[in-house]
Each structure stands twice: as structure tokens, then as C-alpha cells.
Amino acid sequence: MSSRAATSVSDRRVGFDCDVVVIGGGPAGSAAAAWLARAGRRTVVLERDQFPRFHIGESLLASVNDALAAIGAAGVVREAGFPQKWGATFLTADGSIERYADFGAAPDVMSPQTWQVQRSTFDHLLLQHAASSGADIRQRTHVLDVTFDSGSATVFTRDADGQQASLRTACVIDASGRGTVLSRKFDLRVPEPRLANVAVFSHYSGVPRREGRRSGDIRIVARPDLGWFWLIPISNELMSVGVVLPQAAMKAISADFDPAGLLERMIADTPAVSKLVQHAKREWPVRVERDFSFGSRAYAGDRWVLAGDAGSFLDPVFSTGVAIALESGVEAAQAVEAALSSGNMSAARFARYERRQRQRYRSFRRFVLGFYTAEFRDLFFAAEPPPRMFQALVTIFAGYWRPSLRVRLWVSAFFFLVRLQRWLQFAPHIFPVSVAPGIERRV
């Protein structure tokens, strides 16, 4: 829709403060706001914090290029000078086995180069881009409540000075992250008990990286307890280093563990990581995140949609967080624009959006659950994986969860072999299962 046409629709909504309120200014909220503002919609973003602010989740997927192009931010991100990422390297704990996932060699990946980012800088750039696109950005503004009636939604807020106000709008996009406003209000969150993991992480300087094209790639190191490490070069100086531990591995650790001590212990216990950080210096406090995976009973309702982490979030092993946030932000904006244009903002009008969010979540969830089983890793780190099968997996790792039929068939074949490995154990075990009692062996 042209800006002129959108404005004419907006002008007919007498008494509305704006067309759309977006709760949250992270990647999902910024993407939604930028898209809607560029379509001519009066869009207000309510962000609790003052940007820039710290956030974890620094590794992007190749699929984000499509979302950035859709909101006109591709050049903004490219000019920021973030480290380029062309793929991911998966290693066993001792470094003896290495699998390089090159996005450029995967089918269906048109633009394989993406980035590693400091989220404080990246998220701020996107929020500024939304503002330059025409969105009204209001930081340090808490959303107290949202109410709905047959003709509008009302968002109640409190600003940094304690002043309370309300906004009457036609539709609300909740992109407020894992502390989601509407999911709490409607009790939508669905826990993922099989992914009740704990992440412990910090930033280090002095960690060596590869030369050339692979210098910016993420390294994922699989541990025998089915946990794993990430090493992400987020700048020329800093490396994000973190460990994710599943429930079975956490049972032996005291509930009041010292985060810094635990991270040091896990590094020392993982030879491939300890070798890389032996001369490194920790530059940030050690942080902890736990129980971060969840789904949702619904992603949309009458006059509202959920986007990004406000809808659902999966374990970070395949770096899907920002990719899902950006893509769902654009999709939420497109769904809301269509609803505004039609004058129908019922839950039924958002059925296609709802279906797509659920399908994406289930597609990636299959891989995440698989990675925390011994049989998945046995096959993934096998001596000579079939090249076409491995390239098909890399297509998914690049963020393309709805690939061509050929890729889907190869992916299905891989998971069939994983199920056979569970029962027949025809491939050698990468790690002895006995080191991690209670390991889940389902996919």
C-alpha cells in the first residue's frame, strides 16, 4: 500500500492516537515498526529500556538478509562494520573432530554472508532505523496494561518521570521479549521442560580466531554431558564465550553455584575451549540465563499479535533468536497492515500469521531437541557424512526453515537415521553415554 493510501485509512480512525502500538524496541519490534512506518502507518514504539543496552544473542543467520532488506536496513547494518560470518564450525570437546557448516555451499541460501554483532550496537541501529523510517520511538516507557474492546485497544503506560498515560490504537504488536506483556496477560506461555537449560557466559579479549573468510564464524564445541560451548567473535577485540548445560549436567552442581567459578570450571573441563582461552582476559561480568525455551498457545488474537521472543524462544544452539525476531517482526507488520487495510482485525484475520510462527518454531525445535541427544551427535560428527545430506542440514542452520523439497527429503533422511541410531547404534558413539547419566536419547 502506498503512503498516501495508508494515510487516508488512518485519517478515518477518529479518536485514535496511532494505528499500531509496538511494545518493545528490540529486533522484532524495530523491524515491525520500520516496515509499518515505511508503509505510511502511524506507529508508536514503547521501549522499557534506554538504548543502547546489553543483550545476549550475538550470532546472526543468513536468512536475516531477507528481513533487513524488507525494512530497508541492509545498508545500515552492512556499513556498521560488524565481523562477517559465513558459517559455523562444530567441534567435539577435545577438538579431534570438526564439522564446518559453510552457508555458501548450502542449497537455497542466496546470500550466505551474515554478521556477528554486539547486540547493544545492533539493536540500537535498528531502533534508530525505525525512527528514521517514521516510527515514534518512546524509550524508558513501561507498559502497565493493555485492554481491548470491539473497536480499539488501549495501552496504559508510565514514563521515566512516573507520568502515566494511555494510547488508543487499532492494533498492538507485542515484541517485548521474554518478559512479554500479552503472553503474561493471557497466560499463553508453554514451557519446554526438555530444554530447561542453563547458560553461563561472558566476553573475553585475546581469544585467537581463524584467518581469512572463517575468522568471523561461530565455533560450537560439543561437550560429553550434551552441553556445549559457543565462541562468537563480536568485534576485533571481543569474543563472546558461553556454555549451555542441560538438566542432567546441572544436577551435580549446587543450586547456589558461583557463575564465574562454574564458567572457569567448564572451560578447564573442555580441552578445545581451554586451549583457545588460555591467554585470554575476561572483560565483562559473568552472566547467567536459565529456562529460556518456551512456546506459545497462541501468536495472535483480536487486535494483537506476538512477535519475536514475546511469542516463543528456543535454545540458542543454532542461533535462531535474532533471525526469528526479525522475520516475525516483518511478518507481524505485514499481517497487521493487511488487517488494517481490510478493517478486520479479528484473530481469524491473523490465522496465516499464527500458522507460520508455529511452523517455524516446530521446524527449529526438531533440530534443537535433536542436538541434545547422543544419537544426533553420533550421526552429525560421523567420519564421512553424506555431502548432500550435510549440505541440506546447513540450509536449515542458515535459517531457511522452509527449503526446497530436495532439501526437506535429505533432512528427513537424516532424522530417520538418527532414530535408527537410537535403537541399532550402527554408528560409533562420539562420547561415552556413561559420562552423563540421565541423558535423553529421544528425537
Side-chain angles (χ1 to χ4, degrees), residues 111-435:
S111 301
Q113 185 257 303
T114 183
W115 294 275
Q116 313 284 17
V117 298
Q118 289 194 48
R119 285 289 300 279
S120 58
T121 303
F122 179 77
D123 291 6
H124 196 199
L125 282 175
L126 292 183
L127 190 63
Q128 289 176 319
H129 176 72
S132 67
S133 297
D136 178 358
I137 310 297
R138 304 181 187 183
Q139 299 187 71
R140 300 180 67 192
T141 300
H142 288 252
V143 173
L144 304 175
D145 195 12
V146 185
T147 61
F148 298 89
D149 58 40
S150 60
S152 67
T154 303
V155 183
F156 299 90
T157 66
R158 183 180 65 242
D159 66 18
D161 297 322
Q163 297 296 312
Q164 296 190 17
S166 63
L167 284 167
R168 186 167 181 259
T169 184
C171 195
V172 175
I173 296 176
D174 186 353
S176 56
R178 282 181 279 160
T180 173
V181 174
L182 294 183
S183 185
R184 290 201 315 269
K185 181 180 180 70
F186 298 130
D187 190 26
L188 300 176
R189 181 165 294 187
V190 178
E192 285 281 5
R194 292 170 63 188
L195 293 172
N197 301 332
V198 175
V200 187
F201 54 91
S202 187
H203 289 170
Y204 289 75
S205 61
V207 181
R209 59 193 67 186
R210 297 186 182 278
E211 299 292 331
R213 187 171 180 265
R214 294 175 64 177
S215 65
D217 289 349
I218 183 175
R219 281 175 280 194
I220 295 173
V221 183
R223 287 174 46 85
D225 57 11
L226 294 185
W228 58 280
F229 264 93
W230 77 71
L231 294 99
I232 305 172
I234 59 175
S235 72
N236 292 332
E237 297 79 27
L238 292 178
M239 182 81 68
S240 177
V241 179
V243 64
V244 176
L245 297 171
Q247 293 181 69
M250 288 299 297
K251 286 180 179 178
I253 299 171
S254 171
D256 59 350
F257 66 86
D258 166 51
L262 177 60
L263 182 57
E264 291 176 2
R265 175 176 147 199
M266 294 299 103
I267 290 173
D269 193 40
T270 312
V273 179
S274 61
K275 180 179 179 181
L276 287 169
V277 302
Q278 60 182 328
H279 301 301
K281 177 184 178 183
R282 181 162 59 82
E283 302 288 355
W284 286 74
V286 175
R287 293 178 167 91
V288 178
E289 298 274 357
R290 63 178 73 232
D291 297 340
F292 33 69
S293 296
F294 58 90
S296 183
R297 294 182 178 86
Y299 290 85
D302 294 342
R303 296 188 178 274
W304 60 267
V305 299
L306 306 181
D309 295 359
S312 53
F313 183 80
L314 279 168
D315 186 276
V317 63
F318 295 115
S319 305
T320 57
V322 177
I324 291 176
L326 287 170
E327 292 164 25
S328 64
V330 172
E331 291 162 2
Q334 293 169 338
V336 167
E337 166 62 25
L340 290 170
S341 297
S342 69
N344 176 10
M345 279 156 281
S346 67
R349 188 66 180 79
F350 298 122
R352 182 182 178 189
Y353 174 80
E354 165 109 20
R355 186 165 54 251
R356 187 172 177 85
Q357 307 317 304
R358 200 172 300 282
Q359 288 172 345
R360 181 192 286 114
Y361 179 79
R362 289 172 176 169
S363 178
F364 286 131
R365 179 180 181 269
R366 183 187 192 189
F367 277 85
V368 171
L369 287 174
F371 191 78
Y372 285 98
T373 64
E375 54 268 22
F376 183 102
R377 296 189 183 191
D378 291 344
L379 270 292
F380 185 78
F381 285 108
E384 294 184 8
R388 290 186 180 179
M389 181 179 290
F390 184 73
Q391 289 166 4
L393 299 181
V394 176
T395 299
I396 308 298
F397 299 162
Y400 291 92
W401 60 279
R402 296 188 74 181
S404 63
L405 175 61
R406 181 183 63 174
V407 170
R408 294 200 303 272
L409 290 174
W410 278 113
V411 169
S412 296
F414 174 77
F415 277 100
F416 175 73
L417 292 176
V418 169
R419 287 192 294 272
L420 285 182
Q421 173 68 3
R422 176 188 176 193
W423 299 108
L424 303 181
Q425 300 179 14
F426 60 89
H429 291 311
I430 299 303
F431 298 119
V433 177
S434 60
V435 301

